[in-house]
Amino acid sequence: MLEFEARKLDSCNIIDLKGEIDGMGLERFKKALTGAVSEECDAVVLNFSHVVFISSSGLGALVSFYKQLKAEDKQLAVYGLRDVIRQVFEIVRLNKVISIADSEADALALVSATKE
């Protein structure tokens, strides 16, 4: 089961995810993503440190979310990817469009640098 907690840091919304992003967790994942977008938000950072699995449907939801943010001129970064999830991101080339960082500080620096 997927759990999430949202927090705000300056003009960035951070979503801490925990569990599996699979068929059962997909709607909660979409809810977390939708809730992260607001007028005063310039960027969204997703913490994948405690995500153990992401399905193809979860990847699709992430791509749709990326497109939505891009259309609104907002930034997206993820951090804390486990090796197996990072490999999936690389195989489907998400690392070419979504900023990936090792830590929250690095992710925040990436979205700040992209705004400038």
Side-chain angles (χ1 to χ4, degrees):
M1 180 166 161
L2 180 72
E3 299 174 21
F4 69 90
E5 185 175 316
R7 53 196 168 92
K8 186 166 180 56
L9 185 63
D10 299 323
S11 63
C12 181
N13 289 333
I14 302 168
I15 308 294
D16 297 309
L17 302 161
K18 181 179 181 182
E20 298 182 359
I21 303 171
D22 57 8
M24 292 179 59
L26 186 61
E27 288 307 312
R28 288 185 61 78
F29 183 54
K30 289 179 180 178
K31 180 180 179 181
L33 298 178
T34 302
V37 181
S38 63
E39 287 295 320
E40 58 277 352
C41 160
D42 291 331
V44 176
V45 171
L46 302 177
N47 175 0
F48 269 74
S49 297
H50 299 288
V51 173
V52 295
F53 176 80
I54 185 166
S55 68
S56 58
S57 298
L59 291 172
L62 186 58
V63 169
S64 294
F65 183 63
Y66 165 77
K67 289 179 179 179
Q68 174 190 349
L69 289 179
K70 186 174 180 182
E72 296 177 20
D73 200 30
K74 298 178 187 292
Q75 306 301 316
L76 174 64
V78 300
Y79 76 93
L81 295 176
R82 294 172 184 256
D83 288 341
V84 68
I85 295 176
R86 183 182 291 267
Q87 289 172 352
V88 170
F89 272 59
E90 291 170 358
I91 289 168
V92 298
R93 304 183 73 94
L94 280 179
N95 60 319
K96 301 294 183 189
V97 293
I98 296 175
S99 299
I100 298 175
D102 292 326
S103 69
E104 182 174 304
D106 291 344
L108 292 169
L110 283 172
V111 296
S112 293
T114 314
K115 283 191 302 189
E116 296 172 358

